[in-house]
Amino acid sequence: MPEYRLHCFSASGNAYKAAMMLNLSGCDWEPVFVDYFGGETRSEKFRAEVNELGEIPVLDHGAKRLTQTGVILTYLARRTGKFDGRDEDERLEILRWILFDNHKFTSYYATLRFLVGLQKTGESSVTEFLRARATTAFGMVEKHLGKQSFLVGERPTIADISLAGYMYFPEETGMKWSDYPNLDAWKKRIAALPGWVEPYKLMPSKAA
Ligand SMILES: N[C@@H](CCC(=O)N[C@@H](CS)C(=O)NCC(=O)O)C(=O)O
């Protein structure tokens, strides 16, 4: 059996953060399909047996079960020695970006993409609000990436893997990528790393 098991589904950028890390780090892992669109994460069974928070990704490693991408990425970085900070200052800087990602960067954009790109709700005051918030967060990262190749200096870390989780999905969200040339160049640098695979090819869309 592979060393790591990742509970995930292909449309999830949060799961993709963990899957990307496992692949880029050369880990021996397998996906465990979760039927999110069929309501599995909202079931009592999933919350009782897999994650009380009702979310994926969930990473199994031996007797350990981890949830929250920030925790999973940190755990894998510490275990593998890949994509971690080199000292306390870098590790704190990585944590800063991961917290910003979870609160402002991934959260608004992922919700916008869910409504507009996957549920096809059309435009509303909610999608306008989310796009405005995502635009602000993207603008901050765009400016930062004008100064350096990756979020924490000149080498990729789990901060990049976290923020890049939703960057490779093809769904239309109404954000204009041409407004973010630094983000675009950065996501291409990550995609050029050995072991990178696009999300819909890396994780399952249905049960095996
Ligand atoms: N902050 C969490 C977010 C995880 C998350 O939102 N996962 C979504 C899938 S992309 C989920 O499982 N949602 C369950 C639901 O809304 O029922 C993390 O970083 O792991």
Side-chain angles (χ1 to χ4, degrees):
M1 183 159 88
E3 185 178 0
Y4 296 95
R5 301 180 86 224
L6 182 70
H7 301 252
C8 62
F9 63 93
S10 63
S12 167
N14 280 304
Y16 183 56
K17 297 173 187 184
M20 190 177 2
M21 174 66 181
L22 288 162
N23 242 47
L24 293 178
S25 304
C27 292
D28 178 28
W29 71 283
E30 69 178 3
V32 179
F33 175 69
V34 176
D35 188 7
Y36 170 84
F37 292 108
E40 190 175 338
T41 53
R42 288 181 290 285
S43 70
E44 280 308 317
K45 186 170 160 42
F46 183 88
R47 292 181 182 188
E49 293 175 11
V50 185
N51 181 6
E52 64 180 345
L53 302 180
E55 291 180 332
I56 56 99
V58 174
L59 182 75
D60 290 336
H61 184 223
K64 237 182 229 305
R65 171 158 280 178
L66 300 173
T67 80
Q68 292 296 321
T69 53
V71 173
I72 293 170
L73 292 173
T74 303
Y75 177 75
L76 290 171
R78 299 287 144 81
R79 272 200 67 85
T80 63
K82 310 256 175 76
F83 303 105
D84 202 359
R86 284 172 297 201
D87 56 28
E88 179 68 358
D89 283 351
E90 276 195 6
R91 284 194 281 273
L92 287 173
E93 182 65 358
I94 287 169
L95 178 59
R96 187 172 80 97
W97 281 107
I98 288 178
L99 291 171
F100 171 75
D101 180 41
N102 275 251
H103 185 196
K104 301 269 177 67
F105 190 81
T106 278
S107 59
Y108 291 124
Y109 182 69
T111 312
L112 175 69
R113 175 233 181 200
F114 181 75
L115 292 175
V116 176
L118 295 175
Q119 300 284 71
K120 314 254 189 246
T121 58
E123 291 300 313
S124 65
S125 57
V126 174
T127 58
E128 274 170 33
F129 169 80
L130 291 169
R131 192 174 296 107
R133 299 294 285 175
T135 298
T136 302
F138 274 39
M140 287 164 177
V141 179
E142 172 70 12
K143 190 168 171 202
H144 185 75
L145 288 171
K147 297 180 282 190
Q148 53 198 65
S149 304
F150 293 98
L151 290 168
V152 182
E154 292 302 316
R155 47 182 276 283
T157 67
I158 51 173
D160 301 285
I161 294 173
S162 186
L163 275 87
Y166 280 84
M167 298 293 106
Y168 304 100
F169 288 94
E171 293 87 15
E172 195 50 62
T173 60
M175 299 285 285
K176 284 197 225 79
W177 287 102
S178 53
D179 290 346
Y180 306 101
N182 296 332
L183 265 176
D184 199 46
W186 163 77
K187 76 182 224 196
K188 285 180 181 138
R189 281 194 284 279
I190 296 171
L193 295 171
W196 184 88
V197 175
E198 63 185 74
Y200 285 118
K201 292 195 175 140
L202 193 56
M203 300 179 293
S205 303
K206 52 183 171 39

